[in-house]
Structure formats: C-alpha cells, structure tokens
Amino acid sequence: MDIMKKNRALVMAMAAVMGLSLSASAFAEETVANKDKPLVWFNRQPSNSSTGELDMTALNFNENTYYVGFDANQGAELQGTMVLDYIQSNIDTIDRNGDGVIGYVLAIGDIGHNDSIARTRGVRKALGTGVDKDGEINSDPIGTNTDGSATIVQDGSIEVDGTTYVVRELASQEMKNSAGATWDAATAGNAIGTWSSSFGDQIDVVVSNNDGMGMSMFNAWSKDNQVPTFGYDANSDAVAAIAEGYGGTISQHADVQAYLTLRVLRNALDGVDIDTGIGTADEAGNVLTDDVYVYNEEERSYYALNVAVTAENYQDFTDSTVVYEPVSNQLDEAEHPRKSVWLNIYNAADNFLGSTYQPLLQKYDDLLNLDVEYIGGDGQTESNITNRLGNPSQYDAFAINMVKTDNAASYTSLLSQ
Ligand code: BGC
C-alpha cells in the first residue's frame, strides 16, 4: 500500500471509530497530481516572442488551463486613435516649432511581448507611419529618425482644415535596462532626456507602450514642456496626471482581468462550469457582460476589452484598484472552501502589475476564498521565479506571469515532475 492509501485507510478507520462518515472525495485534493491542477497564465500570453504565434502546448497544458489578458489589437487601435484625435483637435497648437512636421517619440516596452508589439503597430497605423513587413506593420524600434530617412517607418500625413502636416516618428527605443528588465520606466526617463536635449523642439507628442514609462517621461520632461504624453494601463497616477496635461491612457480593464485570473481557478477547483460567475451569474450574483470581455475557446483565452481614458472621462477612472462592481460579491466559504494558489508577478517593480493588478488580485482573493501566495520576480530571469516553485504539491492551483512569453515550459516542466 502506498503511503497515501495507508494514510487514507488510517483516517477512515479513525473516523469510523469517532462515528463520522467520510467519503473518499474528502481526499480528492490530496491525490490531484500537480500536472492536473488548474493553471492560469496571465498578462504574458504563452507565445513565440519573434513571431507572436501562440504556444498551444502551454495553453492546453491540462483541461483546466487558461490565459487571461486583454484584447491587444482592440486596445492598440484605441491608443492610436486617441493620439490621432488629440492631434487633430489640437492642430493649432501642437506643432511647437511650426515646421509643419508633427514629431513624436515612442517608448517601446518589450520587443518580444505581443501587447507591446500590438501597441507599437496601433500607433504607427493610426498615424500613417507604419511600414509593412511580412503582411503586418513593422514593430521594430528605429533608434532616431529626425530627418525622416528611416526605412522601418515612413512619414505619415494628416490633413486638417485644408492644411497637410507630415507626421514623423522621430525616435523609438525598447526600454530595457542594462540588467535586462523590459518596460523599464527609468530607462524611458533617461531616453527622453537624451532625445529632448538633441531635438527637443521637434517633439510635439510623446507616446509610450505603457504608463510606467509614459509617466517617467512626463515627469522628466513633457510636463514642464507641455508636450502631450500618452500611455497605456490607466494606472491611478497616470489618470491623475491627465489633469496636469498627460494626454491620455487606455484602461485594459485590469479590474476584469484580475477577477478572471482567479475566477477560472476557483471554478476549476470547485469542479463547476468554467463560465460560472463569468458569462453565467453565480449564486452570489457575480456576472460579467460581454461588453467587458471575450472568451476565445480555441485559444483557451479570456480577453478583457479596453477603454480610452482622456480628459473627457478620466474622473471615472481615478482609482485603478477598485474591484469591478458586477463581480464584487463574496462567495460563501461553506460552498467554496479555501484553497491555496501560487501566483507570480514577473517583475516586482512593474508599475502596472504592482500598482494596479496585484492590489486588485488581493481584493478578489478574499472574495473568492483563495489563499494566494504572491511571488515577485526580478523581471530578468525566469529561474529567479521558478526557484520559488520548489514544492508545487503544497498548492491547489497556479497563476503564472512569465518573464518571457517563450518560457512556459520552465514552469510546466516543474508541474509535470
Ligand atoms: C502592461 C505593461 C506591463 C506589461 C507586463 C502590459 O500589459 O501594459 O504596463 O509592463 O503588461 O507584462
């Protein structure tokens, strides 16, 4: 008899002596192999960092595996349109040196992250600066292009009230620090310092793949120089900065994503239909409507939908850590007993994940009766995180945010042992 069976037999015998009746299912939890436990990937979708192709092996690791993120293309299009709308509505003042060229600089988060790639493309598409590469807009950084000679981008043009302006991507760069961390806000702050000192009067707009980098550039330069700066994420500090001239941001509905991240685990642990409390109301009344998320079954992925946040509506987004009201009802612990979850954040210093996503997760974990252990990585090395998944048997489920989207196997191999 193996040790598990021996223990079970012993407890059964004790229970019988004590007059209790225990069913075999009371032990189910002990016997679930790590490879069969619910697993959710979030924020970094398992995919090839060069081609963007989804890693379906990781997404189908077991029957309770999902990805939770947001619709990167819809968000990217919104971001591009938001910038374009701003330029069009402020055409009289936007061209600071009056040379007829609307110049912008672009902070790129991570050249191998599909969210970052989509945002770069969305901005270039809306502004007419994108150049086709293998059927898609090239998303590579250009370095500098003050004279418009770059081949990765082209000059765009917009016509407002009968006048045609050139739109030029003056510079773009992946904001990666020397240790290898991407989406690095400090690097963006330094970059705007370098750019502004060599061609500052040509910069009319600052665009960033996220608010962490956007705010760093805003605080370092664009706020004082009144240059509109656009980010992504709707972190609370960025939303507040709209009152001070930050141009706008995009909410990726982190309040919905954080809920979905833990909810799919809860449902799998409860053995109920995966749609419970998502498209179908649960007994506590939690339910999402289809204007805030989509589920793509083939991709095993839930995608929250994005909303633009500008001077017109920012008052509704001032606190990015408030739970989404339609899914804010406490689950009954008798029906949904406490379970333990191992969850990591790829970089403890990431602005969005640290200041918006994790505080939301910490609110939902209470509502969903999940005891979550939060692990913060260094943003550079996968092993810094996987080293802390030494004993997966201790947990009932896993939520993973990889450093690199190609690295799913570093985690699944630990769960398969
Ligand atoms: C966010 C970024 C964040 C990144 C981390 C993106 O969706 O917009 O702010 O740095 O995720 O993976």
Side-chain angles (χ1 to χ4, degrees):
M1 222 191 308
D2 71 28
I3 183 92
M4 207 69 142
K5 283 195 189 133
K6 252 193 214 157
N7 284 344
R8 180 182 307 192
L10 194 65
V11 178
M12 286 290 221
M14 282 169 63
V17 169
M18 293 175 353
L20 298 172
S21 100
L22 287 184
S23 70
S25 68
F27 298 91
E29 184 181 332
E30 285 178 49
T31 55
V32 179
N34 293 327
K35 68 171 179 34
D36 298 322
K37 290 178 179 171
L39 165 63
V40 63
W41 308 100
F42 68 98
N43 175 264
R44 302 191 147 213
Q45 193 171 25
S47 52
N48 182 309
S49 61
S50 316
T51 63
E53 192 191 340
L54 297 186
D55 175 352
M56 289 314 299
T57 309
L59 290 163
N60 283 309
F61 175 62
N62 63 31
E63 58 174 17
N64 289 319
T65 302
Y66 298 92
Y67 169 71
V68 172
F70 63 95
D71 187 331
N73 294 327
Q74 178 251 350
E77 195 175 324
L78 270 183
Q79 192 189 23
T81 314
M82 170 175 72
V83 177
L84 179 63
D85 285 350
Y86 186 97
I87 294 175
Q88 286 171 333
S89 343
N90 293 278
I91 202 71
D92 295 340
T93 50
I94 198 118
D95 183 11
R96 296 194 313 136
N97 65 358
D99 63 353
V101 180
I102 317 281
Y104 73 94
V105 292
L106 174 68
I108 294 179
D110 172 348
I111 53 170
H113 186 303
N114 35 15
D115 297 348
S116 181
I117 293 171
R119 293 173 200 173
T120 297
R121 287 190 175 136
V123 168
R124 289 180 178 166
K125 182 171 175 217
L127 300 181
T129 51
V131 170
D132 185 90
K133 185 186 170 192
D134 306 327
E136 305 244 44
I137 289 180
N138 192 336
S139 60
D140 293 340
I142 53 171
T144 49
N145 174 44
T146 46
D147 61 359
S149 63
T151 52
I152 291 172
V153 292
Q154 63 184 4
D155 279 353
S157 77
I158 53 173
E159 200 201 300
V160 188
D161 298 335
T163 309
T164 302
Y165 298 82
V166 169
V167 184
R168 179 170 301 159
E169 184 167 314
L170 299 168
S172 54
Q173 178 187 314
E174 182 187 36
M175 299 304 173
K176 186 173 182 168
N177 70 15
S178 53
T182 53
W183 302 90
D184 189 56
T187 305
N190 293 337
I192 196 71
T194 311
W195 290 336
S196 60
S197 60
S198 48
F199 50 87
D201 67 336
Q202 294 182 61
I203 306 174
D204 302 312
V205 179
V206 174
V207 188
S208 171
N209 282 174
N210 80 356
D211 282 336
M213 301 180 298
M215 281 300 289
S216 182
M217 297 194 287
F218 185 69
N219 290 327
W221 182 75
S222 31
K223 181 178 172 184
D224 287 347
N225 291 278
Q226 294 171 345
V227 175
T229 300
F230 296 85
Y232 202 109
D233 291 341
N235 291 336
S236 300
D237 62 338
V239 173
I242 294 179
E244 304 181 303
Y246 196 69
T249 179
I250 303 290
S251 161
Q252 52 168 290
H253 250 311
D255 51 358
V256 169
Q257 287 182 70
Y259 172 72
L260 285 168
T261 303
L262 296 180
R263 184 72 209 211
V264 293
L265 297 181
R266 179 78 255 177
N267 288 346
L269 290 166
D270 289 346
V272 299
D273 191 297
I274 200 64
D275 198 41
T276 310
I278 300 179
T280 311
D282 65 12
E283 75 282 2
N286 295 305
V287 68
L288 294 173
T289 43
D290 57 13
D291 53 337
V292 291
Y293 82 104
V294 287
Y295 175 54
N296 182 321
E297 190 162 5
E298 212 174 299
E299 298 178 356
R300 307 284 300 169
S301 297
Y302 286 87
Y303 300 109
L305 297 173
N306 304 263
V307 186
V309 181
T310 63
E312 266 137 59
N313 62 350
Y314 76 97
Q315 305 282 10
D316 301 337
F317 293 84
T318 46
D319 185 351
S320 63
T321 66
V322 179
V323 294
Y324 189 55
E325 202 274 328
V327 290
S328 59
N329 304 309
Q330 177 72 48
L331 294 190
D332 178 357
E333 201 171 329
E335 298 297 319
H336 307 272
R338 304 205 77 81
K339 298 282 178 181
S340 69
V341 176
W342 184 95
L343 181 150
N344 88 283
I345 302 281
Y346 87 103
N347 184 354
D350 186 273
N351 296 69
F352 168 63
L353 293 165
S355 73
T356 295
Y357 212 103
Q358 185 169 338
L360 283 163
L361 289 168
Q362 283 167 324
K363 292 176 181 168
Y364 288 118
D365 66 15
D366 292 335
L367 297 174
L368 299 173
N369 305 324
L370 297 172
D371 294 324
V372 180
E373 181 163 335
Y374 293 91
I375 306 286
D378 65 7
Q380 299 149 32
T381 42
E382 219 73 61
S383 59
N384 175 282
I385 299 164
T386 51
N387 283 344
R388 289 183 278 167
L389 184 51
N391 186 7
S393 306
Q394 255 178 275
Y395 305 93
D396 300 312
F398 307 95
I400 298 176
N401 178 221
M402 292 172 281
V403 172
K404 246 186 140 228
T405 60
D406 316 81
N407 285 347
S410 316
Y411 297 84
T412 52
S413 63
L414 293 175
L415 302 180
S416 305
Q417 279 165 10

